[in-house]
Amino acid sequence: MTDERPDQSPITSPRSERVRRIAALAGRSARRKQGRFRVEGPQAVRSLLAERPDLTLELYLTERCESDHPELAALAAAARIPLHRVEDPALRAMVREGEGALVTPQGAVAVGRLPQEDARSAVEAIGAQPAEGPLTVVVLHEVRDPGNVGTLIRTADAAGADLVVLTRTSADPYSPKAVRACAGSLFHLPVVTGGDIDQVLAALAHSHVVAAATSGHASLDLFEAELPARIAWLLGNEAHGLDAATLEAAPLAVRIPLAGRAESLNVHTAATVCLFETLRRRGRG
Amino acid sequence: MTDERPDQSPITSPRSERVRRIAALAGRSARRKQGRFRVEGPQAVRSLLAERPDLTLELYLTERCESDHPELAALAAAARIPLHRVEDPALRAMVREGEGALVTPQGAVAVGRLPQEDARSAVEAIGAQPAEGPLTVVVLHEVRDPGNVGTLIRTADAAGADLVVLTRTSADPYSPKAVRACAGSLFHLPVVTGGDIDQVLAALAHSHVVAAATSGHASLDLFEAELPARIAWLLGNEAHGLDAATLEAAPLAVRIPLAGRAESLNVHTAATVCLFETLRRRGRG
């Protein structure tokens, strides 16, 4: 079992170059420049190691965390991922910057390779899905809040979505706040970023996936509408929803029935209703 | 129309006693001591004035807001609610404390009378619902985050719930953050606070309302279960869900099917699925 042990002395200095580079990953430009992202806490780190060892570059554990969560070192060893023992002050310094500032990493940080982020990758990810049979895609277009992006990915995963596509105007799912809100789902299902909405819509049509929008003005009630077996739910900005051009371009628009006097649903509530109604229908299919 | 005009000179000092008392309403103990809560922004203030003039005590508007939203002064005049003209720095000082600190009040603040908060009121609110026919109640037990409480009330309203009951260990829906997240729904449907969970469960049973919990261990699938026409969804703490005793006491437990590899849903996602499935069934009933 010596393979599972760190082969260096522990990282002690909160001001080392290595620690500062990991801390900087709170920012999108640093993530792009380094081509890396970071993951905090035993649960999210376990999910990364177990689901996407191919993306995992480095693992940092405190002595305490390594003994509390022995599976982390074991997963790293199995995938030949370098494990570094780190002391608490240095670990805390790794996550001190940005939105993650108030959160404790609970002894575990991992660094991953940032996946390709461009319009072509998004189109290719759609083309890589099975050409026939039921398919559920979620498209996040101009969803600006990292916490919302993370929660939407988590809900898409729970409802059995096959793919999440983010257009380039959405928040980055690899920001520490979004990674946290994903609760591991970021590594459970394919998530691609950097999409161009027009190219995404064209790729969906090419793959016979019907793009569907929700709109308070649609005449079709979600619960009464026939939903295609291959569907892509288009989710828009928190404040003003989908832009008019995208709404116009969507072949299907449905209205979520609102029974009370609430004027609208927030984007996550609307997504939950649509995705679980899709799942419910599939269960019957 | 002179009745609609403020009858005093504008409030200019950010340090006046009146302004400081309104600022203090960010805190639960000050709300209880003063018996009042505050509402910020034209939309929420309009909702309070339109739906619950009986709760509204005072209205504060900047000159700009009064001219941009003339309906606010009209609603206040119709309900004989005192309207005070206030200058911007004083208005900003009214909302500067607590969770509301980063939000601009957009020219409007109202102060309302805090409804009675005790175990008996919660029981009475359940008893005051129609004794027969479909009924949807939402019970929030140990939901600690004010933003979650507000979003849950908004979703309950949208899904046509008749009543929301909060137990005393839940966050206060009258905190500025919760009021904001409610987006007006706090004044659309009856919301009672201070419930005792055992008394709430007894009152529901007495009114022939079936208390239902969600549990990953339940054998009954939500989408396949028969849902009673009179149902109360029990929603628990963000981190650990419903406590074992409450789960045990609920006559109905259902499992939300999870298709992906997500381990669980957050409380708001679970509530959305259950409440909109209840609404969907009712539409067919």
Side-chain angles (χ1 to χ4, degrees):
Chain A
M1 299 298 276
T2 50
D3 279 349
E4 293 176 17
R5 304 254 51 108
D7 51 2
Q8 301 129 310
S9 49
I11 296 163
T12 55
S13 166
R15 282 176 302 280
S16 76
E17 174 62 18
R18 182 196 289 270
V19 168
R20 285 196 288 109
R21 280 171 51 86
I22 294 175
L25 295 173
R28 190 166 197 168
S29 62
R31 287 194 295 279
R32 285 175 171 164
K33 200 165 147 197
Q34 296 187 30
R36 311 191 307 164
F37 67 96
R38 80 167 186 247
V39 174
E40 302 156 19
Q43 279 191 297
V45 167
R46 184 186 310 116
S47 181
L48 174 68
L49 286 166
E51 310 283 347
R52 297 301 305 270
D54 59 306
L55 286 185
T56 317
L57 299 172
E58 301 165 348
L59 175 61
Y60 297 87
L61 297 177
T62 59
E63 184 171 1
R64 169 78 181 273
C65 182
E66 192 180 340
S67 108
D68 286 352
H69 301 277
E71 77 283 8
L72 298 180
L75 284 164
R80 302 196 163 275
I81 292 155
L83 164 59
H84 304 274
R85 174 75 58 75
V86 58
E87 291 189 354
D88 228 27
L91 194 87
R92 271 186 273 114
M94 287 182 183
V95 303
R96 85 185 148 219
E97 278 183 31
E99 308 142 336
L102 291 172
V103 175
T104 61
Q106 298 172 280
V109 164
V111 174
R113 179 174 54 76
L114 196 66
Q116 193 70 15
E117 170 183 27
D118 56 44
R120 182 186 293 189
S121 302
V123 166
E124 286 173 355
I126 293 166
Q129 293 295 313
E132 288 180 26
L135 194 73
T136 304
V137 179
V138 174
V139 178
L140 306 186
H141 181 45
E142 299 180 347
V143 179
R144 307 281 190 190
D145 179 77
N148 283 341
V149 162
T151 310
L152 284 163
I153 291 171
R154 182 178 174 194
T155 299
D157 181 31
D162 300 286
L163 173 67
V164 177
V165 178
L166 293 96
T167 63
R168 69 176 134 247
T169 49
S170 284
D172 184 0
Y174 294 96
S175 75
K177 191 174 173 192
V179 171
R180 254 196 318 279
C182 280
S185 289
L186 181 57
F187 314 118
H188 287 171
L189 82 170
V191 176
V192 289
T193 55
D196 169 87
I197 189 67
D198 294 327
Q199 292 182 33
V200 165
L201 289 170
L204 290 168
H206 184 77
S207 292
H208 305 289
V209 180
V210 179
T214 62
S215 160
H217 304 294
S219 56
L220 211 52
D221 180 316
L222 167 70
F223 294 142
E224 286 162 5
E226 277 215 48
L227 297 182
R230 294 170 69 82
I231 193 166
W233 288 105
L234 307 181
L235 305 171
N237 178 264
E238 289 89 343
H240 49 261
L242 286 173
D243 60 291
T246 304
L247 204 52
E248 181 91 3
L252 179 63
V254 299
R255 183 174 39 79
I256 298 174
L258 298 185
R261 276 177 284 182
E263 283 147 42
S264 64
L265 297 176
N266 72 36
V267 60
H268 178 251
T269 310
T272 302
V273 175
C274 293
L275 283 165
F276 276 87
E277 178 63 6
T278 307
L279 176 66
R280 188 186 70 78
R281 304 274 190 107
R282 191 167 294 181
R284 326 256 108 187
Chain B
M1 302 296 279
T2 50
D3 279 348
E4 294 176 16
R5 304 256 48 111
D7 51 2
Q8 303 128 311
S9 48
I11 296 163
T12 55
S13 165
R15 283 176 301 278
S16 75
E17 173 64 17
R18 181 196 290 269
V19 168
R20 286 196 289 110
R21 279 170 52 85
I22 294 174
L25 294 174
R28 189 165 198 170
S29 63
R31 287 194 295 279
R32 285 176 171 164
K33 200 165 146 196
Q34 296 186 30
R36 311 193 305 165
F37 68 96
R38 81 167 185 246
V39 174
E40 303 157 17
Q43 278 192 297
V45 166
R46 183 187 311 116
S47 181
L48 174 68
L49 286 165
E51 310 283 347
R52 297 302 305 270
D54 59 306
L55 286 186
T56 317
L57 298 172
E58 301 165 348
L59 175 61
Y60 297 87
L61 297 177
T62 59
E63 184 171 2
R64 168 80 182 272
C65 183
E66 191 179 341
S67 109
D68 285 353
H69 301 278
E71 77 282 7
L72 298 179
L75 284 164
R80 302 196 163 274
I81 292 156
L83 164 59
H84 304 274
R85 173 76 56 76
V86 59
E87 291 189 353
D88 229 27
L91 193 86
R92 271 186 274 115
M94 286 180 183
V95 302
R96 91 191 141 211
E97 277 184 31
E99 308 141 338
L102 291 172
V103 176
T104 61
Q106 298 172 279
V109 164
V111 174
R113 177 173 56 74
L114 196 67
Q116 193 72 14
E117 170 183 27
D118 56 43
R120 181 185 294 190
S121 301
V123 165
E124 286 172 355
I126 293 167
Q129 294 293 315
E132 288 180 26
L135 194 73
T136 304
V137 178
V138 174
V139 178
L140 306 186
H141 182 45
E142 299 180 348
V143 179
R144 306 279 190 192
D145 178 78
N148 282 342
V149 162
T151 309
L152 284 163
I153 291 171
R154 183 178 172 194
T155 298
D157 181 29
D162 301 285
L163 171 68
V164 177
V165 178
L166 293 96
T167 62
R168 70 177 134 247
T169 49
S170 284
D172 184 0
Y174 293 95
S175 75
K177 191 175 172 191
V179 170
R180 254 196 319 279
C182 280
S185 289
L186 182 57
F187 313 118
H188 287 171
L189 81 170
V191 175
V192 289
T193 56
D196 169 86
I197 189 67
D198 294 328
Q199 291 183 34
V200 165
L201 289 170
L204 290 168
H206 184 77
S207 292
H208 305 290
V209 181
V210 178
T214 63
S215 160
H217 304 293
S219 55
L220 211 52
D221 179 316
L222 167 69
F223 294 141
E224 285 161 8
E226 277 216 47
L227 297 182
R230 294 170 69 82
I231 193 166
W233 287 106
L234 307 181
L235 304 172
N237 179 262
E238 291 91 341
H240 49 261
L242 286 172
D243 60 292
T246 304
L247 203 52
E248 181 91 2
L252 178 63
V254 299
R255 183 175 40 80
I256 298 175
L258 297 185
R261 275 177 285 180
E263 283 148 42
S264 64
L265 297 175
N266 71 36
V267 60
H268 177 252
T269 309
T272 302
V273 176
C274 293
L275 283 165
F276 276 86
E277 178 63 5
T278 307
L279 177 66
R280 188 187 70 80
R281 305 274 189 106
R282 191 167 293 182
R284 315 270 98 194

